[in-house]
Amino acid sequence: MNSIKTAYTDERQDKYFAVEDSGWWYKYRVRIFADLANAYFDKNEEVVDIGGSNGFNAKFIQEEGFDVLLLEPTKKACENAIVRGVKRVQNSSFDEYDKSLSNAMLFDVLEHIENDEDFLHDLSLKMNKGGVLLLSVPAFSSLWSSEDDIDGHFRRYTIASLKKVVQKTEFEMEYFSYFYSFLFLPIYIFRHLKEKLPFVHNAYDRTADEDNAVLQKEFVKTPMIVKFTLDALASWERKRIQKRKKIFFGSSIVCVLRKKK
């Protein structure tokens, strides 16, 4: 099985750990995940969060009443997850996990894996029949920036390209949608296009202070009027996903995969 490629140093893990709890982007995303977990997961079965980093999503799903195991290969991320309050943390990669799965989460992990088809196929073989995988990935190569490079991404997806991967596994795609539809244009302008300007530092060239400033600006220090607008747009988008309606573009994809019975 292919391993997860991550460029996250301990310092970078700590930087994300510092902004996750207060970051609007993280808090909105995990509510989408929780809505789907409550709709599709069996609460009598363990939930395994594969490659769940600092445990932000695992902690939130844990608070929804699920028995969550965070399975994370990076020691520093596991330490941060324990500090955060994740009750069950295992410092190992997925190929070292030898149990079958009924509920699993794979949030923004698949893009880090070079051979995503083999990985997802092997994961499907470990799932119990009828078991559910909640999956999210970044969308559209047109949004590619140095952030993708430095985070160790191999690709961004479309619904069509993700379906092709899923078709080669034992999973069926039960529900799928783009989300962060309202962030597509800002990301395109302020990440993808802005980096083409000669005086703008990309993620490789930024100093540590510049990197911290970018993280604060993108995830924490949101002006009130911007936050109000984002909250209104997010409320509309989340209601559509709660009703299993689809959104036809966005900067991310979320889907529900079920193991064929």
Side-chain angles (χ1 to χ4, degrees), residues 175-238:
Y175 172 75
F176 57 87
S177 178
Y178 291 101
F179 68 114
Y180 290 130
S181 54
F182 46 88
L183 293 184
F184 184 96
L185 189 58
I187 291 173
Y188 183 73
I189 294 172
F190 293 108
R191 281 194 177 181
H192 179 78
L193 288 184
K194 189 178 179 182
E195 287 190 350
K196 297 183 181 298
L197 299 174
F199 53 85
V200 174
H201 288 175
N202 63 33
Y204 286 112
D205 298 329
R206 291 196 296 254
T207 65
D209 287 342
E210 287 175 332
D211 199 35
N212 281 328
V214 169
L215 285 174
Q216 288 292 320
K217 185 177 181 180
E218 290 187 348
F219 296 116
V220 180
K221 296 179 179 179
T222 308
M224 188 58 65
I225 185 64
V226 174
K227 186 177 184 302
F228 178 82
T229 303
L230 290 175
D231 285 342
L233 293 170
S235 176
W236 168 84
E237 188 177 81
R238 185 181 173 195

Short mmCIF file of all heavy atoms in Angstrom, two decimals, residues 175-238:
data_model
loop_
_atom_site.label_atom_id
_atom_site.label_comp_id
_atom_site.label_asym_id
_atom_site.label_seq_id
_atom_site.Cartn_x
_atom_site.Cartn_y
_atom_site.Cartn_z
N TYR A 175 -23.15 9.49 -2.00
CA TYR A 175 -23.46 10.92 -2.07
C TYR A 175 -22.16 11.68 -2.34
O TYR A 175 -21.10 11.28 -1.88
CB TYR A 175 -24.08 11.43 -0.76
CG TYR A 175 -24.22 12.94 -0.72
CD1 TYR A 175 -25.20 13.59 -1.44
CD2 TYR A 175 -23.32 13.71 0.02
CE1 TYR A 175 -25.30 14.98 -1.44
CE2 TYR A 175 -23.43 15.09 0.04
CZ TYR A 175 -24.41 15.73 -0.69
OH TYR A 175 -24.50 17.10 -0.70
N PHE A 176 -22.25 12.77 -3.11
CA PHE A 176 -21.06 13.58 -3.37
C PHE A 176 -21.50 15.01 -3.67
O PHE A 176 -22.60 15.26 -4.17
CB PHE A 176 -20.25 13.02 -4.54
CG PHE A 176 -21.02 12.91 -5.82
CD1 PHE A 176 -21.10 13.98 -6.70
CD2 PHE A 176 -21.68 11.73 -6.15
CE1 PHE A 176 -21.83 13.88 -7.88
CE2 PHE A 176 -22.41 11.62 -7.33
CZ PHE A 176 -22.48 12.70 -8.19
N SER A 177 -20.62 15.94 -3.36
CA SER A 177 -20.89 17.34 -3.65
C SER A 177 -19.60 18.14 -3.53
O SER A 177 -18.71 17.79 -2.75
CB SER A 177 -21.91 17.91 -2.66
OG SER A 177 -22.14 19.29 -2.90
N TYR A 178 -19.50 19.19 -4.30
CA TYR A 178 -18.49 20.20 -4.03
C TYR A 178 -18.94 21.00 -2.82
O TYR A 178 -20.13 21.03 -2.47
CB TYR A 178 -18.32 21.14 -5.22
CG TYR A 178 -17.69 20.50 -6.44
CD1 TYR A 178 -18.49 20.08 -7.51
CD2 TYR A 178 -16.32 20.31 -6.50
CE1 TYR A 178 -17.91 19.48 -8.63
CE2 TYR A 178 -15.73 19.72 -7.63
CZ TYR A 178 -16.54 19.30 -8.68
OH TYR A 178 -15.97 18.72 -9.77
N PHE A 179 -18.01 21.66 -2.14
CA PHE A 179 -18.37 22.64 -1.13
C PHE A 179 -17.30 23.73 -1.09
O PHE A 179 -16.36 23.67 -1.87
CB PHE A 179 -18.65 22.01 0.24
CG PHE A 179 -17.45 21.39 0.94
CD1 PHE A 179 -16.98 21.93 2.13
CD2 PHE A 179 -16.83 20.25 0.45
CE1 PHE A 179 -15.91 21.37 2.80
CE2 PHE A 179 -15.76 19.67 1.12
CZ PHE A 179 -15.29 20.24 2.30
N TYR A 180 -17.48 24.72 -0.22
CA TYR A 180 -16.70 25.96 -0.30
C TYR A 180 -16.88 26.60 -1.68
O TYR A 180 -15.93 27.12 -2.27
CB TYR A 180 -15.22 25.73 -0.04
CG TYR A 180 -14.83 25.37 1.37
CD1 TYR A 180 -14.02 24.28 1.63
CD2 TYR A 180 -15.25 26.15 2.45
CE1 TYR A 180 -13.64 23.94 2.92
CE2 TYR A 180 -14.88 25.82 3.75
CZ TYR A 180 -14.08 24.72 3.97
OH TYR A 180 -13.71 24.39 5.25
N SER A 181 -18.10 26.58 -2.18
CA SER A 181 -18.36 27.19 -3.49
C SER A 181 -18.04 28.68 -3.48
O SER A 181 -17.58 29.24 -4.49
CB SER A 181 -19.82 26.98 -3.88
OG SER A 181 -20.69 27.45 -2.86
N PHE A 182 -18.25 29.33 -2.36
CA PHE A 182 -18.04 30.77 -2.22
C PHE A 182 -16.57 31.14 -2.06
O PHE A 182 -16.21 32.31 -2.05
CB PHE A 182 -18.85 31.31 -1.03
CG PHE A 182 -18.72 30.46 0.21
CD1 PHE A 182 -17.71 30.68 1.13
CD2 PHE A 182 -19.62 29.43 0.44
CE1 PHE A 182 -17.60 29.90 2.26
CE2 PHE A 182 -19.51 28.63 1.58
CZ PHE A 182 -18.49 28.86 2.48
N LEU A 183 -15.69 30.13 -1.89
CA LEU A 183 -14.26 30.40 -1.76
C LEU A 183 -13.49 30.15 -3.06
O LEU A 183 -12.30 30.44 -3.13
CB LEU A 183 -13.65 29.53 -0.66
CG LEU A 183 -14.10 29.83 0.77
CD1 LEU A 183 -13.33 28.94 1.75
CD2 LEU A 183 -13.90 31.30 1.13
N PHE A 184 -14.17 29.62 -4.06
CA PHE A 184 -13.48 29.28 -5.31
C PHE A 184 -12.78 30.50 -5.91
O PHE A 184 -11.57 30.47 -6.19
CB PHE A 184 -14.46 28.68 -6.32
CG PHE A 184 -13.80 28.20 -7.58
CD1 PHE A 184 -13.44 26.87 -7.74
CD2 PHE A 184 -13.50 29.08 -8.62
CE1 PHE A 184 -12.82 26.42 -8.90
CE2 PHE A 184 -12.87 28.65 -9.78
CZ PHE A 184 -12.53 27.32 -9.91
N LEU A 185 -13.52 31.57 -6.10
CA LEU A 185 -12.94 32.76 -6.73
C LEU A 185 -11.86 33.42 -5.87
O LEU A 185 -10.78 33.76 -6.39
CB LEU A 185 -14.04 33.77 -7.07
CG LEU A 185 -13.62 34.96 -7.94
CD1 LEU A 185 -13.02 34.49 -9.26
CD2 LEU A 185 -14.81 35.88 -8.18
N PRO A 186 -12.08 33.60 -4.56
CA PRO A 186 -10.99 34.16 -3.74
C PRO A 186 -9.71 33.34 -3.77
O PRO A 186 -8.61 33.89 -3.83
CB PRO A 186 -11.60 34.20 -2.33
CG PRO A 186 -13.06 34.29 -2.55
CD PRO A 186 -13.33 33.48 -3.79
N ILE A 187 -9.84 32.01 -3.72
CA ILE A 187 -8.65 31.17 -3.77
C ILE A 187 -7.96 31.29 -5.12
O ILE A 187 -6.73 31.37 -5.20
CB ILE A 187 -9.01 29.69 -3.48
CG1 ILE A 187 -9.41 29.54 -2.01
CG2 ILE A 187 -7.83 28.76 -3.79
CD1 ILE A 187 -9.93 28.16 -1.67
N TYR A 188 -8.75 31.34 -6.17
CA TYR A 188 -8.18 31.48 -7.52
C TYR A 188 -7.40 32.79 -7.65
O TYR A 188 -6.30 32.83 -8.21
CB TYR A 188 -9.29 31.42 -8.56
CG TYR A 188 -8.78 31.48 -9.99
CD1 TYR A 188 -8.13 30.38 -10.56
CD2 TYR A 188 -8.93 32.64 -10.74
CE1 TYR A 188 -7.65 30.44 -11.86
CE2 TYR A 188 -8.45 32.70 -12.04
CZ TYR A 188 -7.80 31.60 -12.60
OH TYR A 188 -7.32 31.66 -13.88
N ILE A 189 -7.96 33.85 -7.10
CA ILE A 189 -7.32 35.16 -7.22
C ILE A 189 -6.13 35.30 -6.27
O ILE A 189 -5.02 35.67 -6.68
CB ILE A 189 -8.34 36.29 -6.95
CG1 ILE A 189 -9.40 36.31 -8.06
CG2 ILE A 189 -7.64 37.65 -6.86
CD1 ILE A 189 -10.55 37.26 -7.78
N PHE A 190 -6.35 34.99 -5.00
CA PHE A 190 -5.36 35.32 -3.97
C PHE A 190 -4.31 34.23 -3.75
O PHE A 190 -3.31 34.48 -3.07
CB PHE A 190 -6.07 35.64 -2.65
CG PHE A 190 -6.88 36.90 -2.72
CD1 PHE A 190 -8.26 36.85 -2.74
CD2 PHE A 190 -6.27 38.14 -2.81
CE1 PHE A 190 -9.02 38.01 -2.83
CE2 PHE A 190 -7.01 39.30 -2.90
CZ PHE A 190 -8.39 39.24 -2.90
N ARG A 191 -4.52 33.05 -4.31
CA ARG A 191 -3.46 32.04 -4.26
C ARG A 191 -2.89 31.77 -5.64
O ARG A 191 -1.70 31.98 -5.88
CB ARG A 191 -3.99 30.73 -3.64
CG ARG A 191 -4.07 30.76 -2.13
CD ARG A 191 -4.26 29.36 -1.58
NE ARG A 191 -4.28 29.35 -0.13
CZ ARG A 191 -4.41 28.24 0.60
NH1 ARG A 191 -4.54 27.06 0.00
NH2 ARG A 191 -4.42 28.29 1.91
N HIS A 192 -3.75 31.34 -6.54
CA HIS A 192 -3.26 30.92 -7.87
C HIS A 192 -2.73 32.11 -8.69
O HIS A 192 -1.58 32.11 -9.12
CB HIS A 192 -4.38 30.22 -8.62
CG HIS A 192 -3.98 29.77 -9.99
ND1 HIS A 192 -3.22 28.63 -10.20
CD2 HIS A 192 -4.22 30.30 -11.22
CE1 HIS A 192 -3.02 28.49 -11.50
NE2 HIS A 192 -3.61 29.49 -12.14
N LEU A 193 -3.56 33.13 -8.89
CA LEU A 193 -3.15 34.25 -9.74
C LEU A 193 -2.12 35.15 -9.06
O LEU A 193 -1.17 35.61 -9.70
CB LEU A 193 -4.37 35.08 -10.14
CG LEU A 193 -5.33 34.46 -11.15
CD1 LEU A 193 -6.43 35.44 -11.49
CD2 LEU A 193 -4.60 34.03 -12.43
N LYS A 194 -2.31 35.41 -7.78
CA LYS A 194 -1.42 36.34 -7.06
C LYS A 194 0.03 35.87 -7.10
O LYS A 194 0.94 36.69 -7.18
CB LYS A 194 -1.90 36.48 -5.62
CG LYS A 194 -1.19 37.58 -4.84
CD LYS A 194 -1.78 37.70 -3.44
CE LYS A 194 -1.05 38.77 -2.65
NZ LYS A 194 -1.59 38.86 -1.26
N GLU A 195 0.23 34.55 -7.07
CA GLU A 195 1.60 34.03 -7.06
C GLU A 195 2.33 34.28 -8.37
O GLU A 195 3.55 34.17 -8.44
CB GLU A 195 1.58 32.52 -6.77
CG GLU A 195 1.27 32.21 -5.32
CD GLU A 195 1.49 30.74 -4.98
OE1 GLU A 195 1.69 29.94 -5.91
OE2 GLU A 195 1.47 30.42 -3.79
N LYS A 196 1.60 34.62 -9.39
CA LYS A 196 2.23 34.90 -10.68
C LYS A 196 2.86 36.30 -10.72
O LYS A 196 3.62 36.62 -11.63
CB LYS A 196 1.21 34.75 -11.81
CG LYS A 196 0.68 33.32 -11.94
CD LYS A 196 -0.26 33.19 -13.11
CE LYS A 196 -0.81 31.77 -13.21
NZ LYS A 196 0.23 30.76 -13.43
N LEU A 197 2.54 37.13 -9.73
CA LEU A 197 3.12 38.46 -9.66
C LEU A 197 4.57 38.36 -9.17
O LEU A 197 4.85 37.62 -8.22
CB LEU A 197 2.30 39.35 -8.72
CG LEU A 197 0.84 39.58 -9.13
CD1 LEU A 197 0.10 40.36 -8.06
CD2 LEU A 197 0.76 40.31 -10.47
N PRO A 198 5.49 39.10 -9.76
CA PRO A 198 6.92 38.94 -9.44
C PRO A 198 7.30 39.34 -8.02
O PRO A 198 8.29 38.86 -7.47
CB PRO A 198 7.61 39.85 -10.47
CG PRO A 198 6.56 40.84 -10.88
CD PRO A 198 5.27 40.10 -10.83
N PHE A 199 6.51 40.20 -7.38
CA PHE A 199 6.88 40.69 -6.04
C PHE A 199 6.19 39.91 -4.91
O PHE A 199 6.34 40.26 -3.75
CB PHE A 199 6.53 42.19 -5.91
CG PHE A 199 5.10 42.51 -6.27
CD1 PHE A 199 4.09 42.38 -5.33
CD2 PHE A 199 4.79 42.94 -7.55
CE1 PHE A 199 2.78 42.67 -5.67
CE2 PHE A 199 3.47 43.24 -7.90
CZ PHE A 199 2.46 43.11 -6.95
N VAL A 200 5.43 38.87 -5.26
CA VAL A 200 4.73 38.08 -4.25
C VAL A 200 5.51 36.82 -3.92
O VAL A 200 5.91 36.08 -4.82
CB VAL A 200 3.30 37.71 -4.74
CG1 VAL A 200 2.63 36.76 -3.75
CG2 VAL A 200 2.46 38.95 -4.93
N HIS A 201 5.74 36.60 -2.63
CA HIS A 201 6.44 35.39 -2.19
C HIS A 201 5.48 34.21 -2.19
O HIS A 201 4.39 34.29 -1.63
CB HIS A 201 7.00 35.58 -0.79
CG HIS A 201 8.18 36.50 -0.73
ND1 HIS A 201 8.77 36.88 0.46
CD2 HIS A 201 8.88 37.12 -1.71
CE1 HIS A 201 9.79 37.69 0.21
NE2 HIS A 201 9.87 37.85 -1.10
N ASN A 202 5.88 33.10 -2.80
CA ASN A 202 5.05 31.90 -2.71
C ASN A 202 5.40 31.15 -1.43
O ASN A 202 6.24 31.61 -0.63
CB ASN A 202 5.22 31.03 -3.95
CG ASN A 202 6.63 30.51 -4.12
OD1 ASN A 202 7.35 30.26 -3.15
ND2 ASN A 202 7.06 30.36 -5.37
N ALA A 203 4.76 30.03 -1.21
CA ALA A 203 4.92 29.32 0.07
C ALA A 203 6.35 28.86 0.31
O ALA A 203 6.78 28.73 1.46
CB ALA A 203 3.97 28.12 0.10
N TYR A 204 7.11 28.61 -0.77
CA TYR A 204 8.50 28.18 -0.62
C TYR A 204 9.40 29.31 -0.13
O TYR A 204 10.36 29.09 0.60
CB TYR A 204 9.05 27.67 -1.95
CG TYR A 204 8.52 26.32 -2.36
CD1 TYR A 204 7.69 26.19 -3.46
CD2 TYR A 204 8.86 25.17 -1.64
CE1 TYR A 204 7.20 24.95 -3.85
CE2 TYR A 204 8.38 23.93 -2.02
CZ TYR A 204 7.55 23.82 -3.12
OH TYR A 204 7.08 22.60 -3.49
N ASP A 205 9.10 30.52 -0.56
CA ASP A 205 10.00 31.65 -0.32
C ASP A 205 9.67 32.46 0.92
O ASP A 205 10.43 33.34 1.31
CB ASP A 205 9.97 32.60 -1.54
CG ASP A 205 10.45 31.91 -2.81
OD1 ASP A 205 11.31 31.01 -2.70
OD2 ASP A 205 9.95 32.27 -3.90
N ARG A 206 8.52 32.19 1.56
CA ARG A 206 8.13 32.99 2.71
C ARG A 206 9.01 32.70 3.92
O ARG A 206 9.41 31.55 4.16
CB ARG A 206 6.67 32.72 3.07
CG ARG A 206 5.68 33.25 2.07
CD ARG A 206 4.28 33.32 2.63
NE ARG A 206 3.71 32.04 2.98
CZ ARG A 206 2.77 31.41 2.28
NH1 ARG A 206 2.31 31.96 1.16
NH2 ARG A 206 2.29 30.26 2.67
N THR A 207 9.28 33.74 4.70
CA THR A 207 9.96 33.55 5.98
C THR A 207 8.96 32.95 6.97
O THR A 207 7.76 32.90 6.71
CB THR A 207 10.47 34.89 6.52
OG1 THR A 207 9.34 35.73 6.82
CG2 THR A 207 11.38 35.59 5.51
N ALA A 208 9.46 32.54 8.13
CA ALA A 208 8.58 31.96 9.16
C ALA A 208 7.54 32.98 9.60
O ALA A 208 6.36 32.64 9.79
CB ALA A 208 9.41 31.50 10.35
N ASP A 209 7.94 34.25 9.74
CA ASP A 209 7.00 35.29 10.15
C ASP A 209 5.95 35.54 9.07
O ASP A 209 4.76 35.73 9.37
CB ASP A 209 7.74 36.59 10.46
CG ASP A 209 8.53 36.52 11.76
OD1 ASP A 209 8.22 35.63 12.58
OD2 ASP A 209 9.43 37.35 11.95
N GLU A 210 6.38 35.53 7.81
CA GLU A 210 5.44 35.71 6.70
C GLU A 210 4.45 34.55 6.64
O GLU A 210 3.26 34.74 6.39
CB GLU A 210 6.19 35.83 5.38
CG GLU A 210 6.92 37.16 5.20
CD GLU A 210 7.76 37.19 3.93
OE1 GLU A 210 8.22 36.10 3.49
OE2 GLU A 210 7.98 38.28 3.39
N ASP A 211 4.95 33.34 6.88
CA ASP A 211 4.10 32.16 6.86
C ASP A 211 3.05 32.23 7.97
O ASP A 211 1.87 31.93 7.75
CB ASP A 211 4.96 30.90 7.02
CG ASP A 211 4.24 29.65 6.56
OD1 ASP A 211 3.48 29.73 5.58
OD2 ASP A 211 4.45 28.59 7.17
N ASN A 212 3.47 32.64 9.16
CA ASN A 212 2.53 32.80 10.26
C ASN A 212 1.48 33.86 9.96
O ASN A 212 0.30 33.70 10.28
CB ASN A 212 3.28 33.18 11.55
CG ASN A 212 3.94 31.98 12.20
OD1 ASN A 212 3.44 30.86 12.12
ND2 ASN A 212 5.09 32.20 12.83
N ALA A 213 1.92 34.96 9.33
CA ALA A 213 1.00 36.03 8.99
C ALA A 213 -0.05 35.56 7.99
O ALA A 213 -1.24 35.91 8.10
CB ALA A 213 1.77 37.22 8.43
N VAL A 214 0.36 34.75 7.02
CA VAL A 214 -0.57 34.20 6.03
C VAL A 214 -1.58 33.28 6.70
O VAL A 214 -2.79 33.36 6.44
CB VAL A 214 0.19 33.45 4.91
CG1 VAL A 214 -0.79 32.67 4.03
CG2 VAL A 214 0.97 34.43 4.05
N LEU A 215 -1.11 32.41 7.60
CA LEU A 215 -2.02 31.51 8.31
C LEU A 215 -3.04 32.29 9.13
O LEU A 215 -4.23 31.96 9.15
CB LEU A 215 -1.22 30.57 9.22
CG LEU A 215 -0.47 29.44 8.55
CD1 LEU A 215 0.40 28.70 9.57
CD2 LEU A 215 -1.42 28.46 7.88
N GLN A 216 -2.58 33.32 9.83
CA GLN A 216 -3.49 34.13 10.63
C GLN A 216 -4.52 34.84 9.76
O GLN A 216 -5.71 34.88 10.07
CB GLN A 216 -2.68 35.16 11.44
CG GLN A 216 -1.87 34.58 12.58
CD GLN A 216 -2.75 34.05 13.70
OE1 GLN A 216 -3.75 34.65 14.07
NE2 GLN A 216 -2.38 32.91 14.26
N LYS A 217 -4.05 35.38 8.63
CA LYS A 217 -4.94 36.12 7.75
C LYS A 217 -5.98 35.21 7.12
O LYS A 217 -7.16 35.57 7.00
CB LYS A 217 -4.12 36.83 6.66
CG LYS A 217 -4.95 37.73 5.75
CD LYS A 217 -4.06 38.46 4.76
CE LYS A 217 -4.88 39.37 3.86
NZ LYS A 217 -4.01 40.10 2.88
N GLU A 218 -5.56 34.02 6.69
CA GLU A 218 -6.47 33.11 5.99
C GLU A 218 -7.43 32.40 6.93
O GLU A 218 -8.57 32.13 6.55
CB GLU A 218 -5.66 32.08 5.20
CG GLU A 218 -4.93 32.67 3.99
CD GLU A 218 -4.29 31.61 3.13
OE1 GLU A 218 -4.22 30.44 3.58
OE2 GLU A 218 -3.86 31.92 2.01
N PHE A 219 -6.98 32.10 8.16
CA PHE A 219 -7.79 31.21 9.00
C PHE A 219 -8.33 31.85 10.29
O PHE A 219 -9.26 31.33 10.88
CB PHE A 219 -6.98 29.97 9.38
CG PHE A 219 -6.60 29.12 8.21
CD1 PHE A 219 -5.28 28.94 7.86
CD2 PHE A 219 -7.57 28.51 7.44
CE1 PHE A 219 -4.93 28.16 6.76
CE2 PHE A 219 -7.24 27.73 6.35
CZ PHE A 219 -5.91 27.55 6.01
N VAL A 220 -7.74 32.95 10.74
CA VAL A 220 -8.13 33.47 12.06
C VAL A 220 -8.66 34.90 11.98
O VAL A 220 -9.77 35.17 12.40
CB VAL A 220 -6.93 33.40 13.04
CG1 VAL A 220 -7.36 33.95 14.40
CG2 VAL A 220 -6.43 31.97 13.18
N LYS A 221 -7.86 35.81 11.46
CA LYS A 221 -8.21 37.24 11.50
C LYS A 221 -9.14 37.61 10.36
O LYS A 221 -8.75 38.27 9.40
CB LYS A 221 -6.93 38.08 11.48
CG LYS A 221 -6.05 37.87 12.71
CD LYS A 221 -4.79 38.71 12.64
CE LYS A 221 -3.93 38.51 13.88
NZ LYS A 221 -2.67 39.30 13.82
N THR A 222 -10.38 37.17 10.48
CA THR A 222 -11.37 37.45 9.45
C THR A 222 -12.16 38.70 9.83
O THR A 222 -12.77 38.73 10.91
CB THR A 222 -12.35 36.26 9.32
OG1 THR A 222 -11.60 35.06 9.13
CG2 THR A 222 -13.29 36.47 8.15
N PRO A 223 -12.15 39.74 9.00
CA PRO A 223 -12.93 40.95 9.31
C PRO A 223 -14.40 40.61 9.52
O PRO A 223 -14.93 39.68 8.90
CB PRO A 223 -12.73 41.82 8.06
CG PRO A 223 -11.43 41.35 7.47
CD PRO A 223 -11.38 39.88 7.75
N MET A 224 -15.08 41.37 10.38
CA MET A 224 -16.45 41.06 10.77
C MET A 224 -17.39 40.99 9.58
O MET A 224 -18.22 40.09 9.48
CB MET A 224 -16.95 42.09 11.78
CG MET A 224 -18.31 41.74 12.39
SD MET A 224 -18.30 40.11 13.23
CE MET A 224 -17.16 40.45 14.58
N ILE A 225 -17.28 41.95 8.65
CA ILE A 225 -18.17 41.96 7.50
C ILE A 225 -17.93 40.75 6.61
O ILE A 225 -18.86 40.16 6.06
CB ILE A 225 -18.03 43.27 6.68
CG1 ILE A 225 -19.06 43.32 5.56
CG2 ILE A 225 -16.61 43.42 6.15
CD1 ILE A 225 -20.49 43.34 6.02
N VAL A 226 -16.66 40.34 6.51
CA VAL A 226 -16.33 39.15 5.71
C VAL A 226 -16.88 37.91 6.40
O VAL A 226 -17.47 37.03 5.75
CB VAL A 226 -14.80 39.03 5.52
CG1 VAL A 226 -14.45 37.72 4.83
CG2 VAL A 226 -14.27 40.22 4.72
N LYS A 227 -16.72 37.84 7.71
CA LYS A 227 -17.22 36.69 8.46
C LYS A 227 -18.74 36.59 8.35
O LYS A 227 -19.29 35.50 8.20
CB LYS A 227 -16.81 36.78 9.93
CG LYS A 227 -17.16 35.54 10.74
CD LYS A 227 -16.67 35.67 12.16
CE LYS A 227 -16.96 34.37 12.93
NZ LYS A 227 -18.39 34.01 12.95
N PHE A 228 -19.42 37.72 8.43
CA PHE A 228 -20.88 37.73 8.30
C PHE A 228 -21.31 37.18 6.94
O PHE A 228 -22.24 36.37 6.84
CB PHE A 228 -21.41 39.16 8.49
CG PHE A 228 -22.90 39.28 8.33
CD1 PHE A 228 -23.76 38.97 9.38
CD2 PHE A 228 -23.44 39.68 7.11
CE1 PHE A 228 -25.13 39.07 9.22
CE2 PHE A 228 -24.82 39.78 6.95
CZ PHE A 228 -25.66 39.47 8.01
N THR A 229 -20.61 37.62 5.90
CA THR A 229 -20.91 37.16 4.55
C THR A 229 -20.63 35.67 4.40
O THR A 229 -21.44 34.91 3.84
CB THR A 229 -20.09 37.95 3.51
OG1 THR A 229 -20.35 39.35 3.67
CG2 THR A 229 -20.44 37.52 2.10
N LEU A 230 -19.48 35.23 4.92
CA LEU A 230 -19.12 33.82 4.85
C LEU A 230 -20.14 32.96 5.60
O LEU A 230 -20.53 31.89 5.12
CB LEU A 230 -17.73 33.60 5.43
CG LEU A 230 -16.55 34.13 4.62
CD1 LEU A 230 -15.25 33.94 5.41
CD2 LEU A 230 -16.44 33.43 3.27
N ASP A 231 -20.56 33.42 6.77
CA ASP A 231 -21.53 32.66 7.56
C ASP A 231 -22.84 32.49 6.81
O ASP A 231 -23.46 31.42 6.83
CB ASP A 231 -21.79 33.35 8.90
CG ASP A 231 -20.65 33.17 9.90
OD1 ASP A 231 -19.83 32.25 9.69
OD2 ASP A 231 -20.60 33.94 10.88
N ALA A 232 -23.28 33.55 6.13
CA ALA A 232 -24.54 33.49 5.38
C ALA A 232 -24.43 32.52 4.21
O ALA A 232 -25.33 31.68 3.99
CB ALA A 232 -24.91 34.88 4.87
N LEU A 233 -23.33 32.59 3.47
CA LEU A 233 -23.13 31.69 2.34
C LEU A 233 -22.95 30.25 2.81
O LEU A 233 -23.47 29.31 2.20
CB LEU A 233 -21.91 32.14 1.54
CG LEU A 233 -22.05 33.49 0.82
CD1 LEU A 233 -20.70 33.94 0.28
CD2 LEU A 233 -23.08 33.40 -0.31
N ALA A 234 -22.23 30.09 3.92
CA ALA A 234 -22.00 28.74 4.45
C ALA A 234 -23.29 28.11 4.94
O ALA A 234 -23.51 26.90 4.79
CB ALA A 234 -20.98 28.81 5.59
N SER A 235 -24.17 28.91 5.53
CA SER A 235 -25.45 28.40 6.01
C SER A 235 -26.27 27.83 4.85
O SER A 235 -26.86 26.75 4.95
CB SER A 235 -26.22 29.51 6.72
OG SER A 235 -27.50 29.06 7.12
N TRP A 236 -26.31 28.57 3.73
CA TRP A 236 -27.03 28.10 2.54
C TRP A 236 -26.42 26.80 2.03
O TRP A 236 -27.13 25.83 1.73
CB TRP A 236 -26.96 29.17 1.45
CG TRP A 236 -27.43 28.66 0.11
CD1 TRP A 236 -28.71 28.60 -0.34
CD2 TRP A 236 -26.60 28.14 -0.95
NE1 TRP A 236 -28.75 28.06 -1.61
CE2 TRP A 236 -27.47 27.78 -2.01
CE3 TRP A 236 -25.24 27.95 -1.10
CZ2 TRP A 236 -27.00 27.23 -3.20
CZ3 TRP A 236 -24.76 27.41 -2.29
CH2 TRP A 236 -25.63 27.05 -3.33
N GLU A 237 -25.09 26.76 1.94
CA GLU A 237 -24.41 25.59 1.40
C GLU A 237 -24.60 24.37 2.30
O GLU A 237 -24.88 23.27 1.84
CB GLU A 237 -22.93 25.91 1.24
CG GLU A 237 -22.14 24.85 0.50
CD GLU A 237 -20.69 25.25 0.32
OE1 GLU A 237 -19.89 25.09 1.27
OE2 GLU A 237 -20.34 25.73 -0.77
N ARG A 238 -24.47 24.58 3.61
CA ARG A 238 -24.60 23.47 4.55
C ARG A 238 -26.01 22.87 4.53
O ARG A 238 -26.18 21.65 4.60
CB ARG A 238 -24.24 23.94 5.96
CG ARG A 238 -24.22 22.82 6.99
CD ARG A 238 -23.87 23.34 8.36
NE ARG A 238 -24.00 22.30 9.37
CZ ARG A 238 -24.04 22.54 10.67
NH1 ARG A 238 -23.93 23.78 11.13
NH2 ARG A 238 -24.18 21.53 11.52
#
